[in-house]
Amino acid sequence: MKRIVIDPVTRIEGHAKISLFVGDDGRIADARFHVVEFRGFERFCVGRPFGEMPSLTARVCGICPVSHLLCSAKTGDGILGVRPPVAAVKLRRAMNLGQILQSHALSFFHLSSPDLLLGFDSAPAKRNVFGVIQAHPDLARAGIRLRQFGQDVIEKLGGRKIHPAWAVPGGVREAPGEQTCQELLAGIPEARATVRTALAFIKQYLDTHAEEVEVFGNHPSLYMALVRPTDHGWEHHDGVLRITDHTGRVVADDIDPADYRQHIAEQVEHDSYLKSPYYKPLGYPAGAYRVGPLARLNVCTAIDTPLADAELVEFRQRAGGVANSAFLYHLARAVEMLACTEWLERHLTDPEIRSTRHRAEAGVNNLEAVGCSEAPRGTLFHHYTVDEHGLLTSVNMIIATGQNNLPMNRTIAQIAQHYIRDTKAIPEGFLNRVEHGIRCYDPCLSCSTHAHGQMPLHVQLVGAGGEVIAEAKR
Amino acid sequence: MAVVTLTIDDKPVSARAGESVLDAAKEAGIEIPTLCHLPGVSEAAACRLCLVQVEGRGRLQAACVTAAAEGMVVRTQTDTLREYRRMILELLFTEGNHVCAVCVANGNCELQTLAAELGMDHVRYPYLNPARPVDVTHKQYAIDHNRCILCTRCVRTCDEIEGAHTWDVAGRGTSSHVIADMGQPWGESVTCTSCGKCVQSCPTGALFRQGSTVAEMTKDREKLGDLVTARREKKWSV
Ligand code: SF4
Ligand code: SF4
Ligand code: FES
């Protein structure tokens, strides 16, 4: 069997490579996405006081520090055995919305738009954010400002200095003043306008690119996300887990995240440092599920804000019910960006967040706790055990990208099988499509490198005996 | 009171007899870097950061324990001194495990501040990466030995100001470490009054309030000196 290797995969957050296995008939037989970096992060937290975890995790992952910060603070709430004051919860929510907004903006405008705006087969040297700036300066500028707005939300809520440990076990350290809230509210109209532009663009793209929707990871899988306990609506910070299948049937509902172990098991793969979680009752790999924007929109009943709910209805119509194509992640992110602007507005105008009570104090009351929240890329779990004094004795984290691992393999296999008919002559644009299949999931090889953008692409065709048959570099 | 006159960095300075060069310089507006010195408690001369050059004396002198003397000529800022001070700081950083980015004292740490002030932009020695414990058994406070620089300020503060003498130093060389009572967990110490003065005295993030997160541990070291002055001058009537 021959093997084609794409290493490293460009324009994703982190370092990874793709291997394409060529069967005897000369067609692609299988595909694997491997993460080639190992951080061993869970190990080196052991022995530290649990209160340090929010800042430790936020510092180690440079891509979605806020997600880890919030999830870790929530886990800390559990160790303390407290419920944070309502102001703290809403402030944390607001920050998470800022994080989702900036991350989705990055994914669309910086990482994916080169393929969509300039074309998969456009010259690789220009197929990047700079090429987009040249060809579509207004859109590119708006995208950069949108991301900036999301970052502003994070920075302004977190105090003047960007504090790695703004969210702490029990609540948050500081609450923003009236003026800060007003400043942020002032930025919402422009942000919303940009999101609408992006939405319109993606919809139009989908109308004219049925092939991509059909081929980029269009396959059944389970979906998992947090939902509000009351009405099973869209949720990103608290709530219960819901799992649905590719037909929309609810497979498991109202799961307390603390019980995740009963529902989710993790498979360790020999060729990747990414752990592959799966839904236990269905086993491995049938229990593969997807998380992130696509899953959140698939499992929820509604978003509960007028603009986003209207888009959600259209999203479902376009998908024909359940969105099973990974290509629709792009649209899902745009819908979520709209939801973020609406929910942010709601929180920032809520008098409750002005309360001066935003941190509950307590000692170690539980020796084990699980925290769960929705990172931009999907459900994130932190699970800590501590000794009676609060020193960590074990740390387990389940990250969004890991949960999408199995579906990602499936997605790239599907794309490669469709586009690569002749493994002897592979046009560069086809390999780019394979990469784009990964980019749909916007993987954060969390706790990985910070590089994205201009990495060289190295492609190798390796024969059965391991010999390099052909090699291409860009 | 007898007065002596000396020269510090070409500046004529007068000092009370027996006063340290460090204090005399300070009164004259000349800052000498220190770490183990803490107003209100005795000197330990442990950190050697306050090294100065005294004309006629071959070896470098620790300003905190060198008495000002008539006609003394002192230099506090020379290339040699700067190099030694930097070296000392680098060695302190290699000896423990200092990760400022996640440290409770980040931004409020004397070690960190000095490193920045003295231009320690990198470390030339190999890190020892010792395995050191964190003791969080005390109800209110905690000690992270990874960040302890063995300045013994806590030891002296606890002994001389609080009068409890909970802290002491055990071990030799790189295995030296501060211990509570006979080496039991801090939370089990029978002498500790939980006054928290040691926490205030500590120049780094080694001693901190439980539950503090990054950069949250600000310390009010002046309070300790004020306490001593107030007591000596009988400012409070009981
Ligand atoms: S004690 Fe000071 S030097 Fe050491 S890690 Fe903390 S801030 Fe940095
Ligand atoms: S704990 Fe702090 S005050 Fe005590 S010796 Fe260590 S660094 Fe100095
Ligand atoms: S201050 Fe003089 S030796 Fe430390």
Side-chain angles (χ1 to χ4, degrees), chain A residues 436-455:
Chain A
H436 189 91
I438 295 294
R439 261 178 240 135
C440 285
Y441 293 84
D442 186 26
C444 164
L445 308 177
S446 156
C447 329
S448 224
T449 64
H450 301 195
H452 56 80
Q454 297 295 297
M455 283 191 284

Side-chain angles (χ1 to χ4, degrees), chain B residues 93 97-100 103 105-107 109 111-112 147 204-206:
Chain B
F93 274 92
N97 297 304
H98 293 270
V99 188
C100 300
C103 177
N106 193 0
C109 170
L111 179 62
Q112 189 190 40
R147 305 175 186 140
T204 68

Side-chain angles (χ1 to χ4, degrees), chain B residues 110-126:
Chain B
E110 291 181 36
L111 179 62
Q112 189 190 40
T113 309
L114 272 182
E117 277 174 10
L118 302 189
M120 193 201 88
D121 45 17
H122 65 284
V123 171
R124 292 164 288 185
Y125 309 101

Side-chain angles (χ1 to χ4, degrees), chain B residues 143 147-155 178 198 201-204 206-207:
Chain B
I143 179 165
R147 305 175 186 140
C148 174
I149 56 169
L150 292 170
C151 68
T152 71
R153 273 159 56 157
C154 56
V155 176
V178 295
C198 57
S201 79
C202 177
T204 68
L207 285 166

Side-chain angles (χ1 to χ4, degrees), chain A residues 47-49 51-52 54-56 59 161 163-165 167-169 173 359 387 389-391, chain B residues 101-104 106 132 134-138 144 146-147 208 210-216:
Chain A
R48 300 302 310 170
E52 280 182 9
S55 50
L56 270 176
R59 286 288 182 166
K161 309 188 263 184
H163 239 297
V168 291
R173 258 153 72 150
R359 183 170 182 178
D387 68 14
H389 304 296
L391 293 183
Chain B
V102 295
C103 177
V104 289
N106 193 0
R132 293 191 192 166
V134 185
D135 181 347
V136 283
T137 56
H138 193 281
D144 184 342
N146 292 291
R147 305 175 186 140
F208 58 97
Q210 284 266 16
S212 305
T213 52
V214 179
E216 232 185 344

